[in-house]
Amino acid sequence: MTPPTTLARPPQTAQPPAAPARVSRSEAELLTLTRAILSPGPRYLPSLRQQPKRVTRVFSIGPTAMGLLQQTLARGVTLELLRRGGWQTRRTLVNGVVERGNLWQRHPTLPPLQFGRPSFELLAWLRSEDVGAARTLSHDTTPSLADDLLHYFAAAHILHAGGDLHQPAFARSPLCQLAYPDALASEQPLPQLDLRALVHGEGAIIVEALQPELAARWVAMEQAKPEIGQIERMTRIGQAQTHVLTSWFRAIDTESPPRRDLAGFLADAARELLARGPERQCPDHTWWISGLDLRAPLSARQAAFVGAAAFLRALGTLGVWLDEAGLVPHFDEDYEAAQLLLSSWKYLHRAPEPPAPPPARATNQAQLPAAILDRAKLLATQLQSLHSLGPPADVTEPP
Amino acid sequence: MSRAYRIRISESLRRHIAVDDGIQSKLEILDILSPEQTAALLERELQAAGFEQREDGQWFRVDEEGVEVRVDPKQSTVTVSASADRQLDLQRETVIGAVAENDAATRERGRKFLESELEAEAAERKKDLQAEVTAKLEGKLGDLRRELDQISNRVTAEALKQKAASMGEVQEISEDPETGSLTIRVRL
């Protein structure tokens, strides 16, 4: 038996075997784990934390198990992409033209996903390790986009099981960097990745499908900031967020026309966090840093505040893009892309909202501007200004 | 029958420790005039506030407690920093039991124990010094914020007046120091 090099999707006409397939125990565990990872929503998988774990790692599987693994990945990954957001009716750029519909309407012919050795190594590693104290997972071969996607699916389960993602394989995964900068943040800066593969071809299709999930991740990241007590952790998370979003914005603008619609998850997250209304309340700047233990040098404190404002600062780029889109004339070839951005993100510039009762956690709601982008700019400025520093008691002092 | 020995060990640590702290922030000045004109107005206000210009174009002021405030008028950034240093001369002594007069291993263990204690105390002293510097900066920050806000407001007000004068004939200027409001009536 040789380890798999490529797992192609089986033909659609493949018929299930007449008799149940027979596989070894280790192969059965591998297949069960694969099915669990490709199941809806992050749920606790006891097999990821089973003690004692560290069973012998499998390096190859038989042809029957390989066939089943191919089938599981082909069907499971496709289903998960549709379930996690592909079903939503959206408007996106397809070959420079705006298309409306769900994922399979916008892209009637989906390019095949090629799973390679890194996917097999990931599954074998998950089967043999306790993700709370795992040995290193690093790949010798460059992961394909499909491998990257499987790492992304696995990441949610690992975190849900109480494990951590501080592994080279996850740090070097573009999708994991985009979705989990908080979980990947460490003393070492994140590796610089080229994210261009995610803004065209099948990469862009995957990111389109994952927009709602990515938005939810960024909302969760921001909502977790008030719980952070350690100044160093806030600084690292902010640096990781800035790092990945800088790479993402740069990659988006390499396409022609730029696929700025692929940053829509940030706009969605901004609306969720900053829109004020009967149900959504905009916090003031102290909310982001309310959990921090401020007994630290002012320089460290300021670095943490700058980290806390990383997401808010990044929204400024979306504002610049909107301003640029408004200047694109109708005869320009990027006109359609610009109009898509203006219509999709119009809620960022103007927020006609009904008057809301003052929320309990806010102290200076009256000073917040109406538009989401203006709020983000003001909150970031407040977090980074001299007024936020000083003794801990002064932090709540309005500017 | 073996005899117990008591060995007296003393260690000392001499070290120069230096700590610093500082922050950087942007002055909140509206873009009313060109950056060069705004920088010129800011420089005038900084000079009036006791700042001195350096060769690199930055303006600085050091108070009696050693807190340095640096302003870059072109970038509108303000840097506040303070530092301190101290000479440490620590000594520790201990007495340990040994089974032989020349028990080198026990002596070495005792010496290492003392060294680790001295290192821990040096780290603690450095932490205390850092806290002192931070507290000193914090104490200055309140007044400094108010002063920089006033400077920013004066620069903004002067910029508004110059902008109004460039637009037409200024007929009336009224300022309310309490609310900070400025009304300029211009005839176009």
Side-chain angles (χ1 to χ4, degrees), chain A residues 100-318:
Chain A
R100 187 179 184 280
N102 47 38
L103 194 69
W104 60 90
Q105 288 168 331
R106 298 196 305 268
H107 305 281
T109 51
L110 294 171
L113 292 174
Q114 303 287 329
F115 291 92
R117 180 186 282 270
S119 286
F120 183 80
E121 286 171 348
L122 168 70
L123 294 169
W125 178 80
L126 286 171
R127 178 189 157 272
S128 64
E129 299 288 331
D130 177 336
V131 294
R135 283 175 291 195
T136 304
L137 175 66
S138 182
H139 301 310
D140 296 333
T141 51
T142 308
S144 67
L145 198 62
D147 297 325
D148 187 19
L149 187 58
L150 195 65
H151 282 74
Y152 168 80
F153 287 150
H157 290 282
I158 291 171
L159 292 175
H160 209 68
D164 75 74
L165 295 184
H166 293 109
Q167 294 286 346
F170 291 104
R172 301 205 67 80
S173 153
L175 277 174
C176 288
Q177 273 206 8
L178 203 54
Y180 298 101
D182 55 340
L184 293 171
S186 66
E187 285 177 26
Q188 301 298 322
L190 285 179
Q192 188 72 46
L193 298 184
D194 184 358
L195 301 182
R196 282 180 296 179
L198 295 180
V199 296
H200 65 83
E202 60 259 48
I205 295 172
I206 287 172
V207 176
E208 281 178 27
L210 296 179
Q211 289 287 311
E213 199 166 80
L214 288 172
R217 270 298 305 144
W218 279 84
V219 169
M221 257 185 272
E222 292 304 297
Q223 285 179 336
K225 281 184 177 172
E227 308 296 324
I228 296 173
Q230 289 182 334
I231 275 198
E232 296 80 14
R233 174 145 179 76
M234 182 72 90
T235 307
R236 286 177 198 154
I237 288 177
Q239 285 168 346
Q241 286 181 319
T242 302
H243 173 96
V244 70
L245 289 182
T246 305
S247 301
W248 184 233
F249 294 153
R250 195 184 305 130
I252 279 174
D253 275 353
T254 57
E255 277 294 285
S256 181
R259 288 299 311 271
R260 292 176 171 179
D261 57 309
L262 292 178
F265 65 90
L266 294 172
D268 290 342
R271 177 164 59 176
E272 186 65 28
L273 283 163
L274 306 179
R276 183 168 56 181
E279 291 174 7
R280 297 199 193 105
Q281 296 173 349
C282 181
D284 70 352
H285 72 284
T286 58
W287 177 75
W288 270 266
I289 50 174
S290 54
L292 282 181
D293 179 2
L294 296 175
R295 288 169 297 180
L298 280 174
S299 52
R301 234 180 273 177
Q302 190 178 38
F305 291 3
V306 169
F311 170 75
L312 298 168
R313 227 175 20 249
L315 294 177
T317 302
L318 270 56

Side-chain angles (χ1 to χ4, degrees), chain A residues 347-361:
Chain A
Y347 58 83
L348 291 181
H349 260 322
R350 286 194 169 75
E353 295 166 350
R361 68 185 177 198

Side-chain angles (χ1 to χ4, degrees), chain A residues 297-299 301-302 386-387 390, chain B residues 21-24 137-138 141 149:
Chain A
L298 280 174
S299 52
R301 234 180 273 177
Q302 190 178 38
L386 283 178
H387 292 282
Chain B
D21 197 1
I23 50 170
Q24 192 177 61
L137 265 184
E138 277 177 348
L141 219 50
D149 281 349

Side-chain angles (χ1 to χ4, degrees), chain B residues 136-186:
Chain B
K136 190 163 68 177
L137 265 184
E138 277 177 348
K140 294 283 172 188
L141 219 50
D143 291 340
L144 191 63
R145 263 180 263 175
R146 273 185 287 279
E147 186 183 6
L148 291 172
D149 281 349
Q150 284 169 3
I151 288 176
S152 300
N153 290 342
R154 282 200 294 271
V155 169
T156 305
E158 189 55 37
L160 276 171
K161 287 174 192 170
Q162 289 191 12
K163 185 76 177 177
S166 70
M167 291 165 67
E169 184 189 340
V170 177
Q171 293 192 315
E172 184 189 341
I173 297 177
S174 59
E175 290 183 66
D176 185 348
E178 284 189 12
T179 62
S181 71
L182 171 70
T183 308
I184 305 174
R185 193 183 295 276
V186 184

